[in-house]
Amino acid sequence: MNRITSTSPSSDPRAMAWEILRRVEEEGAYADALLGNAPNAPTLAARDRALLTRLVYSTLAWQGYLDHVLAAFCRRPPAALDAPVRTLLRLTLCQICVLTKIPPFAAVNTAVELAKRFRGGAAAGLVNAVLRRAATSWRDVQFPSRQDDPIGYLSARLSHPRWLVERWVAQYGLDEAEAMLRANNEPAPTALRVNRLSGDPAKLLEEWRRAGRAAEASPYSPVGIRVADGGPAEAMPGYATGIFSVQGEASQLVSFLLGAQAGERILDVCAAPGGKATHLAELMDNRGELVAIDVSARGIERLARMAQRLGLSILHPAVADATTWHPADGKFDRVLLDAPCSGLGTLRQHPEIRWRRTPEDIASLAALQRQLLLRAAEWVRPGGVLVYATCTLSSEENDEVIGRFLHEQPLFLVDDPRPFLPAQARELVGRGDALRTFPHQHDLDGFFAVRLKARG
């Protein structure tokens, strides 16, 4: 099948959404990257661009729910359908069942035309038959009983894989897990971090408000701003000149946790794409030395470009595998390990992750995290600080990694992070003196971070 974008009109957000969703499913691509690089997106009106984003994110988030509904109207299981047709059916059902402001007849007619144009008459007939039945009867579809099978009910109704629901119910309890699942299906605000070396959050916020941009100060980060009116943040005034960066609010808090000071020597392990590394350099007033390593060459290139745009000269990005790397110039005052993780705290930003991860991934990642944490500890000077952070809600990757590390490394102890966090964020420190953020409680991505102190 030819790419839709090679022949379709540039002004059709539904056709563009279908193309992006196909690449996410068939190529393992990430939706945010495809949306950011969609060749026709800049030509769309703001309303159509917002619709394109909503179609993509909502279809991915509600995929399990949509497949459950779809199964009621197909002779074959959704998994057995032609992949592009299955994606088109999900996209259209999402408009009917989730984004209910779109008239069903318009959604169905568009889907039939797209199927006819790109998959032929037989596919168009199937799409027409399934969607017209679904458009009138989707509310009658039966779900597992909440009382008899609460895991199955939450999995199907709130669109998460069953294994993940089982884990979160066991870890957080039924009510808490349900609130978390609901929050994961809601759109997240775009968060920005103002470069304190060249911008002032209050002044920037006022300028944007006067320009008609919907924006508000972050409730937790003193350099954070939330924007909610769509459109690429990179196109906003001030981005090209380094006044601000795009970075989640919870991610911003991790850099504060390290307590970086001007003139120090700091190491950021697994630093790409560079949000925390550049924030650390800003917190150091661009004085000292910040070594940022990552195994991804593309990620390091992106980090270097970001540092240049922000005017940060103390950053030294390098491609390196932390499991084998040896620093040439001794130990560091502070080390940040933002560990590779399952990303299950970022399902609002990356809804496709829930369909890709497996229980085996969690165990594998936890083993890697333990290895990296032990390596990172070797590079901390006596009396120095090591921060371990993830963007997941899995206890195997968080509390269990820290517990095992402390057992194997008696030279380290958990340090109270509250004095290093902005005052408004200290309430986010919970059990085990760990920073813990949740989408359903704080409207933040799910992050975990612990500040570890090396005995002097």
Side-chain angles (χ1 to χ4, degrees):
M1 178 184 176
N2 294 329
R3 291 245 175 269
I4 296 170
T5 49
S6 65
T7 54
S8 64
S10 61
S11 59
D12 188 344
R14 292 176 182 83
M16 293 171 68
W18 185 25
E19 170 71 6
I20 288 173
L21 290 167
R22 284 190 49 229
R23 294 189 61 188
V24 169
E25 173 153 326
E26 297 170 30
E27 301 174 11
Y30 284 92
D32 61 338
L34 294 177
L35 283 165
N37 296 316
N40 299 326
T43 66
L44 292 178
R47 189 175 70 174
D48 284 345
R49 193 165 56 235
L51 174 61
L52 169 63
T53 302
R54 191 76 193 279
L55 287 171
V56 170
Y57 277 80
S58 296
T59 302
L60 291 170
W62 289 98
Q63 179 176 307
Y65 168 82
L66 298 171
D67 281 358
H68 184 89
V69 173
L70 187 59
F73 301 101
C74 291
R75 293 179 180 175
R76 290 180 288 168
L81 294 173
D82 174 62
V85 170
R86 179 175 62 240
T87 303
L88 181 59
L89 290 171
R90 286 172 178 160
L91 170 64
T92 311
L93 271 183
C94 183
Q95 296 167 63
I96 295 170
C97 307
V98 180
L99 309 177
T100 52
K101 292 182 179 178
I102 299 174
F105 72 89
V108 173
N109 288 344
T110 300
V112 172
E113 287 303 313
L114 286 172
K116 186 184 301 178
R117 190 185 314 166
F118 296 105
R119 300 302 290 178
L126 171 67
V127 167
N128 184 55
V130 170
L131 291 178
R132 294 205 183 279
R133 289 200 302 271
T136 57
S137 305
W138 66 272
R139 291 183 178 83
D140 300 329
V141 173
Q142 298 297 303
F143 285 84
S145 163
R146 183 189 180 92
Q147 183 173 357
D148 299 335
D149 181 10
I151 302 295
Y153 171 82
L154 291 177
S155 174
R157 197 68 186 82
L158 297 181
S159 193
H160 285 67
R162 186 179 181 103
W163 70 268
L164 184 56
V165 177
E166 287 175 343
R167 286 195 175 210
W168 280 352
V169 168
Q171 186 174 337
Y172 297 103
L174 187 64
D175 292 342
E176 196 75 5
E178 179 172 355
M180 197 184 304
L181 300 176
R182 290 187 184 281
N184 286 340
N185 294 335
E186 295 297 322
T190 298
L192 311 177
R193 184 195 79 234
V194 178
N195 181 356
R196 67 181 223 166
L197 302 180
S198 55
D200 177 85
K203 289 182 180 177
L204 194 60
L205 191 57
E206 185 57 32
E207 288 177 12
W208 285 347
R209 283 174 173 166
R210 283 202 300 269
R213 187 102 195 189
E216 61 181 13
S218 162
Y220 296 108
S221 171
V223 291
I225 291 178
R226 294 180 177 183
V227 293
D229 55 346
E234 291 82 355
M236 293 172 62
Y239 179 82
T241 53
I243 302 298
F244 69 89
S245 297
V246 180
Q247 186 186 22
E249 293 167 82
S251 177
Q252 294 176 33
L253 298 178
V254 172
S255 298
F256 285 110
L257 209 62
L258 199 64
Q261 302 295 315
E264 290 186 325
R265 187 163 189 260
I266 292 179
L267 171 65
D268 185 354
V269 186
C270 307
K276 297 179 186 66
T278 52
H279 190 197
L280 285 172
E282 293 167 11
L283 292 172
M284 296 167 69
D285 288 332
N286 199 29
R287 288 185 288 148
E289 181 185 15
L290 177 51
V291 177
I293 65 169
D294 197 280
V295 73
S296 167
R298 179 177 295 182
I300 285 296
E301 288 176 11
R302 180 178 173 185
L303 196 164
R305 289 196 302 272
M306 190 187 307
Q308 184 175 26
R309 179 179 62 81
L310 295 169
L312 301 171
S313 59
I314 66 168
L315 250 165
H316 303 285
V319 179
D321 183 344
T323 61
T324 57
W325 181 70
H326 294 283
D329 301 320
K331 295 183 182 291
F332 295 83
D333 298 303
R334 303 170 198 270
V335 175
L336 169 63
L337 172 58
D338 181 24
C341 69
S342 59
L344 294 174
T346 66
L347 295 186
R348 298 186 307 172
Q349 311 275 1
H350 305 287
E352 63 270 42
I353 287 179
R354 74 188 75 177
W355 310 118
R356 294 179 180 172
R357 296 286 181 243
T358 67
E360 292 74 24
D361 290 339
I362 306 298
S364 175
L365 285 164
L368 176 61
Q369 290 151 1
R370 290 194 296 272
Q371 181 186 11
L372 289 171
L373 188 54
L374 289 171
R375 290 286 292 156
E378 296 176 12
W379 303 322
V380 181
R381 68 162 173 79
V385 173
L386 168 61
V387 166
Y388 174 80
T390 72
C391 57
T392 190
L393 302 170
S394 158
S395 60
E396 296 97 321
E397 299 175 78
N398 295 334
D399 300 272
E400 293 181 20
V401 170
I402 291 298
R404 188 160 169 177
F405 172 79
L406 293 172
H407 179 72
E408 296 175 348
Q409 278 286 353
L411 293 179
F412 281 83
L413 51 84
V414 175
D415 196 28
D416 183 357
R418 294 173 183 82
F420 305 95
L421 284 170
Q424 60 266 41
R426 292 172 188 164
E427 65 179 270
L428 303 175
V429 177
R431 176 169 47 85
D433 275 342
L435 174 73
R436 299 173 193 268
T437 59
F438 296 92
H440 66 296
Q441 294 181 5
H442 314 115
D443 196 18
L444 299 174
D445 287 339
F447 264 70
F448 171 90
V450 172
R451 179 184 161 94
L452 300 159
K453 182 91 173 176
R455 299 180 196 274

